[in-house]
Each structure stands twice: as structure tokens, then as C-alpha cells.
Amino acid sequence: MVRILNFLLLSILVVSSSAQSYDYQEGGYDQEYSQDNLYHDYAMKQQEKEVGAGQGGWGKVAAGTAVGWLLGGKIHSSRKAKNLNTKHKEEQKALYTQYYNDVYTLQQQNQELAQALEQMGVRVK
């Protein structure tokens, strides 16, 4: 009994699927989608791009080059400025250290000379 029901169900499905109408083979497809111009629009856009591609190509390249050159100059100059500031600070620190050491040495020499003069009996202010 179950086999007979399965067979009937299968035969109904096969008959209904083979009875479908395929109008696209008889021109029905063209009538149904005649208003669809998506590909036509796409082809027109591509053609417009190709025509417009020759215009301003070098301008974009020149603008990109100028922007890159300016940004690169800014980056490299800031790096150089940072290096020069570091170098300047190191040189300034060395100069101040040398100045401090020289002043300290001179003060010691002045004290030693003052003591030597006092021992000799000369009055120093």
C-alpha cells in the first residue's frame, strides 16, 4: 500500500513538472524581460569610463606626486630637525659642562694664589 502511494506521488510530481510551460523558447522570455536594460546601462557606463579615461590622467599623477613630495619633505625635515635638536642639546650640554669645569678650576686657582700671597705677606682684598 505504501509503495503504491509513493509511486502515485512520484508520478504526479513527474507529470506536473513536465507539464510546465517554457515560454522563453517561444519568445516569451524576450517579452517578459524586454524592459530590463541593466546590461545596457552597465555597457554604457563602461564606455563612458573608457572615453573619460583619457582626460586628466596626468593631472591626477602630477597632483599625487606633489602631495607625496610635500608629505615626504615634511616627514624627512621633521626627522632631520629632531636629529639636529638632539645634537645641539648634546653640544650645548658639553659646552656648559666645560664652562662649569673651567670656572671651578679658575676659582680654585684664585684661592690658591690668594693663599700664596697671604703667606708672602701681601694683603689681598
Side-chain angles (χ1 to χ4, degrees):
M1 178 79 173
V2 174
R3 289 181 135 186
I4 295 173
L5 286 176
N6 283 339
F7 178 73
L8 285 175
L9 184 62
L10 182 63
S11 62
I12 290 172
L13 287 174
V14 169
V15 169
S16 68
S17 66
S18 65
Q20 289 180 351
S21 172
Y22 296 106
D23 289 337
Y24 68 89
Q25 293 176 350
E26 300 167 6
Y29 179 79
D30 290 337
Q31 291 173 0
E32 189 174 333
Y33 293 103
S34 64
Q35 299 299 322
D36 186 18
N37 57 2
L38 182 64
Y39 179 75
H40 183 270
D41 293 342
Y42 171 76
M44 289 296 291
K45 291 279 187 186
Q46 292 300 321
Q47 191 174 21
E48 289 173 8
K49 284 183 186 178
E50 289 177 8
V51 169
Q55 300 172 358
W58 285 106
K60 290 179 183 178
V61 170
T65 302
V67 168
W69 184 71
L70 291 172
L71 286 176
K74 176 68 175 164
I75 291 168
H76 290 297
S77 66
S78 64
R79 285 182 183 173
K80 191 66 172 176
K82 186 186 293 184
N83 289 340
L84 287 175
N85 284 337
T86 304
K87 184 179 176 183
H88 174 68
K89 286 179 183 178
E90 290 173 2
E91 289 175 354
Q92 190 175 18
K93 183 179 178 181
L95 182 66
Y96 284 148
T97 304
Q98 182 66 37
Y99 174 75
Y100 177 78
N101 290 337
D102 289 345
V103 168
Y104 182 75
T105 306
L106 285 173
Q107 286 176 348
Q108 282 183 337
Q109 285 177 354
N110 284 342
Q111 286 177 357
E112 290 172 3
L113 288 174
Q115 286 177 354
L117 288 174
E118 283 180 7
Q119 287 176 356
M120 292 173 62
V122 179
R123 286 190 78 161
V124 181
K125 296 183 184 179

